[in-house]
Amino acid sequence: MKNKKRWLLIGVAILIAGLLIGSKVYMDKQQEAKVRKEKMIEIVKSEEAKKEFEVVLTNLDSKALTSDGIINTYSISNDTIRKNPMGGINVVLVINDDANLTIEYTLNMINGHLEAGGVSYSGSLANLLEVNHNE
């Protein structure tokens, strides 16, 4: 009987140790993910990223970010910042505070500089820009 109790205690101790180790690993991974997310936000909000966003915006609308342009303002949607599986960082910009007017970027680090690797924009923004180009 004493032998069964000892094995039961050993089993419980092993189970508790396993839970503690598993919890620690989980918490470390969560912290690591948080640090990665903060680093991506820092990159996306950097002056270098801002310049890259503005280059693309002025390619879409030559008068972007002026009172004469279609694209007057943009903001970064922090909820959309994520690692691109092919490398780089995906981020969505909201144009003129209108959730229907968006541009999604993939920012890549190329030779130590940020560059827009891929850019796509919402149909609503495409329609708005097309109407303006046809006038």
Side-chain angles (χ1 to χ4, degrees):
M1 192 65 162
K2 274 188 165 184
N3 207 13
K4 279 186 174 182
K5 280 187 177 182
R6 187 176 357 170
W7 282 111
L8 181 62
L9 287 174
I10 290 172
V12 169
I14 290 172
L15 180 63
I16 290 172
L19 287 172
L20 290 173
I21 291 170
S23 296
K24 173 71 170 131
V25 169
Y26 175 78
M27 290 174 65
D28 287 350
K29 286 189 180 208
Q30 290 295 99
Q31 181 63 28
E32 189 178 303
K34 182 180 175 186
V35 169
R36 270 195 314 269
K37 178 77 171 189
E38 288 170 355
K39 179 70 174 165
M40 287 190 295
I41 289 171
E42 183 180 309
I43 291 169
V44 167
K45 293 195 174 199
S46 71
E47 280 300 312
E48 189 175 7
K50 180 181 176 182
K51 288 177 186 174
E52 189 61 30
F53 294 148
E54 291 176 2
V55 166
V56 173
L57 292 173
T58 54
N59 284 338
L60 292 173
D61 174 10
S62 62
K63 296 178 183 178
L65 307 175
T66 69
S67 58
D68 295 332
I70 293 171
I71 300 173
N72 302 117
T73 63
Y74 73 93
S75 60
I76 298 167
S77 177
N78 285 344
D79 296 340
T80 65
I81 297 172
R82 66 188 185 285
K83 185 180 183 312
N84 184 298
M86 299 298 289
I89 302 169
N90 285 0
V91 60
V92 173
L93 302 183
V94 177
I95 306 301
N96 301 340
D97 294 320
D98 183 340
N100 294 316
L101 304 176
T102 60
I103 300 175
E104 183 167 353
Y105 284 80
T106 301
L107 288 174
N108 295 310
M109 187 65 73
I110 299 175
N111 296 324
H113 298 285
L114 281 178
E115 293 184 16
V119 178
S120 61
Y121 41 96
S122 65
S124 298
L125 182 59
N127 290 339
L128 189 60
L129 291 169
E130 179 128 344
V131 167
N132 190 22
H133 288 297
N134 289 334
E135 290 178 356

